[in-house]
Amino acid sequence: MRRCFLQILKALFTSQTMLILVPKYKKWKLILKELKFELGGPLPLHFLRQASKAGKADAEQHTLAKYLMELTLIDYDMMHYHPSKAATAASCLSQKVLGQGKWNLKQQCYTGYTQNEALEVMQHVAKNVLKVNENLTKFIAIKNKYASSKFLKISMIPQLNSKAIKDLAFPLMGGS
């Protein structure tokens, strides 16, 4: 039930079909009326939970993905990406950085994205990691938040300075 609802939200958020569907279907009218038309866009965290479940992510991988995803909130270049794609990129990058296997078909099915489709967003996320790690941005509150033991000190792990992160960020860092 929850998975279906998330898929419906994703479909509504990623297309303009809501304006077409609402007048045509009585069920939609009833649902929207019951919700008093108080709909907001789905948050990336909702999609991340689904991706983590599909990938059987452990606490470390899920926490790292949450950290990476939260770093997207401070980057204006990330505003035009759908929340589902940002969550997919964060999940995929966390899996890659921690060396926990490749993005598989089940994850593709649950998220709706292949690793290649999420690559551009992964590059932006890697760029944000480098900027925060090298103090090239004034927005370090997220790094400090995830440096606490409550969040497994995930922002301090050495893998965030890995070659994989640097290689992904390279095209967006101006070749520096």
Side-chain angles (χ1 to χ4, degrees), residues 118-148:
L119 184 61
E120 183 181 351
V121 183
M122 289 169 59
Q123 289 174 324
H124 280 281
V125 173
K127 174 196 70 172
N128 292 336
V129 170
L130 285 184
K131 281 186 168 184
V132 168
N133 286 347
E134 296 173 5
N135 293 319
L136 298 175
T137 181
K138 60 183 177 180
F139 303 109
I140 59 166
I142 296 169
K143 181 179 180 177
N144 293 339
K145 172 185 169 181
Y146 282 88
S148 72

Coordinates of all heavy atoms in Angstrom, one line a residue, residues 118-148:
A118 N 21.2 8.4 -13.0 CA 21.4 9.2 -11.7 C 22.8 9.8 -11.7 O 23.2 10.5 -10.8 CB 21.2 8.3 -10.5
L119 N 23.6 9.5 -12.7 CA 25.0 9.9 -12.7 C 25.2 11.4 -12.6 O 26.1 11.9 -11.9 CB 25.7 9.4 -14.0 CG 27.2 9.6 -14.1 CD1 28.0 9.0 -12.9 CD2 27.8 9.1 -15.4
E120 N 24.5 12.2 -13.4 CA 24.6 13.6 -13.3 C 24.4 14.2 -11.9 O 25.1 15.0 -11.4 CB 23.7 14.3 -14.3 CG 23.8 15.8 -14.4 CD 22.8 16.4 -15.4 OE1 22.1 15.7 -16.1 OE2 22.7 17.6 -15.4
V121 N 23.3 13.6 -11.3 CA 23.0 14.1 -9.9 C 24.1 13.6 -8.9 O 24.5 14.3 -8.0 CB 21.6 13.6 -9.5 CG1 21.3 14.1 -8.1 CG2 20.6 14.0 -10.5
M122 N 24.6 12.4 -9.2 CA 25.7 11.9 -8.3 C 26.9 12.8 -8.4 O 27.6 13.0 -7.4 CB 26.1 10.4 -8.7 CG 25.0 9.4 -8.3 SD 25.3 7.8 -9.1 CE 26.9 7.3 -8.5
Q123 N 27.2 13.3 -9.6 CA 28.3 14.2 -9.8 C 28.1 15.5 -8.9 O 29.0 16.0 -8.3 CB 28.5 14.6 -11.3 CG 29.0 13.5 -12.1 CD 29.0 13.8 -13.6 OE1 28.2 14.5 -14.1 NE2 30.0 13.3 -14.3
H124 N 26.9 16.0 -8.9 CA 26.6 17.2 -8.1 C 26.8 16.9 -6.6 O 27.3 17.7 -5.9 CB 25.2 17.7 -8.4 CG 25.1 18.6 -9.6 ND1 25.5 19.9 -9.7 CD2 24.7 18.2 -10.9 CE1 25.3 20.3 -10.9 NE2 24.8 19.4 -11.7
V125 N 26.3 15.7 -6.2 CA 26.4 15.3 -4.8 C 27.9 15.2 -4.4 O 28.3 15.7 -3.4 CB 25.7 14.0 -4.5 CG1 25.9 13.6 -3.1 CG2 24.2 14.2 -4.8
A126 N 28.7 14.6 -5.3 CA 30.1 14.5 -5.0 C 30.8 15.8 -5.0 O 31.7 16.1 -4.1 CB 30.8 13.6 -6.1
K127 N 30.4 16.7 -5.8 CA 30.9 18.1 -5.8 C 30.6 18.8 -4.5 O 31.5 19.4 -3.8 CB 30.3 18.9 -6.9 CG 30.6 20.4 -6.9 CD 29.7 21.2 -7.8 CE 28.4 21.3 -7.2 NZ 27.4 22.2 -7.8
N128 N 29.4 18.6 -3.9 CA 29.0 19.1 -2.7 C 29.8 18.5 -1.5 O 30.2 19.3 -0.6 CB 27.5 18.9 -2.4 CG 26.7 19.7 -3.3 OD1 27.1 20.7 -3.9 ND2 25.4 19.3 -3.6
V129 N 30.1 17.2 -1.6 CA 30.9 16.6 -0.6 C 32.3 17.2 -0.6 O 32.8 17.5 0.5 CB 31.0 15.1 -0.8 CG1 32.0 14.4 0.1 CG2 29.7 14.4 -0.6
L130 N 32.9 17.4 -1.7 CA 34.2 17.9 -1.8 C 34.3 19.4 -1.3 O 35.2 19.8 -0.6 CB 34.8 17.9 -3.2 CG 35.3 16.6 -3.8 CD1 35.8 16.7 -5.2 CD2 36.3 15.9 -2.8
K131 N 33.3 20.1 -1.7 CA 33.2 21.5 -1.2 C 33.1 21.6 0.3 O 33.8 22.5 0.9 CB 32.0 22.3 -1.8 CG 32.3 22.7 -3.3 CD 31.1 23.5 -3.8 CE 31.4 24.2 -5.1 NZ 30.3 25.1 -5.5
V132 N 32.3 20.8 0.9 CA 32.1 20.8 2.4 C 33.4 20.3 3.0 O 33.9 20.9 4.0 CB 30.9 19.9 2.8 CG1 30.9 19.7 4.3 CG2 29.6 20.6 2.4
N133 N 34.0 19.2 2.5 CA 35.3 18.7 3.1 C 36.4 19.6 3.0 O 37.3 19.6 3.8 CB 35.6 17.3 2.4 CG 34.7 16.2 2.9 OD1 33.9 16.3 3.8 ND2 34.7 15.1 2.1
E134 N 36.5 20.4 1.9 CA 37.6 21.3 1.7 C 37.3 22.7 2.1 O 38.0 23.7 1.8 CB 38.0 21.3 0.2 CG 38.5 19.9 -0.2 CD 38.8 19.8 -1.7 OE1 38.7 20.8 -2.4 OE2 39.1 18.7 -2.1
N135 N 36.2 22.9 2.9 CA 35.8 24.2 3.4 C 35.6 25.3 2.3 O 36.0 26.4 2.5 CB 36.7 24.7 4.5 CG 36.6 23.8 5.7 OD1 35.5 23.4 6.1 ND2 37.7 23.5 6.3
L136 N 35.1 24.9 1.2 CA 34.9 25.8 0.0 C 33.5 26.4 0.1 O 33.1 27.1 -0.9 CB 35.1 25.1 -1.3 CG 36.6 24.5 -1.5 CD1 36.6 23.7 -2.8 CD2 37.6 25.7 -1.5
T137 N 32.8 26.1 1.1 CA 31.4 26.6 1.3 C 31.2 27.0 2.7 O 31.9 26.5 3.6 CB 30.3 25.6 0.9 OG1 29.1 26.2 1.0 CG2 30.4 24.3 1.7
K138 N 30.4 28.0 2.9 CA 30.1 28.4 4.3 C 29.0 27.5 5.0 O 28.7 27.7 6.2 CB 29.7 29.9 4.4 CG 28.5 30.2 3.6 CD 28.2 31.7 3.6 CE 27.0 32.0 2.7 NZ 26.7 33.4 2.7
F139 N 28.4 26.7 4.2 CA 27.3 25.8 4.7 C 27.9 24.5 5.2 O 27.9 23.5 4.6 CB 26.3 25.5 3.6 CG 25.7 26.8 3.0 CD1 26.0 27.2 1.7 CD2 24.8 27.6 3.7 CE1 25.5 28.3 1.2 CE2 24.3 28.7 3.2 CZ 24.6 29.1 1.9
I140 N 28.3 24.5 6.5 CA 28.9 23.3 7.1 C 28.1 22.7 8.2 O 28.5 21.8 8.8 CB 30.4 23.6 7.6 CG1 30.4 24.7 8.6 CG2 31.3 23.9 6.4 CD1 31.7 24.7 9.4
A141 N 26.9 23.3 8.4 CA 26.0 22.8 9.5 C 25.6 21.4 9.3 O 25.5 20.6 10.2 CB 24.8 23.7 9.6
I142 N 25.4 21.0 8.0 CA 25.0 19.6 7.7 C 26.1 18.7 8.1 O 25.9 17.6 8.7 CB 24.5 19.5 6.3 CG1 23.3 20.3 6.0 CG2 24.2 18.0 5.9 CD1 22.9 20.5 4.6
K143 N 27.3 19.1 7.7 CA 28.5 18.2 8.0 C 28.7 18.1 9.5 O 28.9 17.0 10.0 CB 29.8 18.8 7.4 CG 31.0 18.0 7.7 CD 32.3 18.5 7.1 CE 33.4 17.6 7.4 NZ 34.6 18.0 6.8
N144 N 28.5 19.2 10.2 CA 28.6 19.1 11.7 C 27.5 18.3 12.3 O 27.7 17.5 13.3 CB 28.6 20.6 12.3 CG 29.8 21.4 11.9 OD1 30.8 20.8 11.5 ND2 29.7 22.7 11.9
K145 N 26.3 18.4 11.8 CA 25.2 17.6 12.3 C 25.5 16.1 12.1 O 25.3 15.3 13.1 CB 23.9 17.9 11.5 CG 22.7 17.0 11.7 CD 21.6 17.4 10.8 CE 20.5 16.3 10.8 NZ 19.4 16.7 9.9
Y146 N 26.0 15.7 11.0 CA 26.3 14.3 10.7 C 27.6 13.8 11.3 O 28.0 12.7 11.1 CB 26.2 14.0 9.2 CG 24.8 13.8 8.8 CD1 24.0 14.9 8.4 CD2 24.1 12.6 8.8 CE1 22.7 14.8 8.0 CE2 22.8 12.4 8.4 CZ 22.1 13.6 8.0 OH 20.8 13.4 7.7
A147 N 28.4 14.7 12.0 CA 29.6 14.3 12.6 C 29.3 13.8 14.1 O 30.2 13.3 14.7 CB 30.6 15.5 12.7
S148 N 28.1 13.9 14.5 CA 27.7 13.5 15.8 C 27.6 12.0 15.9 O 27.3 11.3 14.8 CB 26.4 14.2 16.3 OG 25.3 13.6 15.6

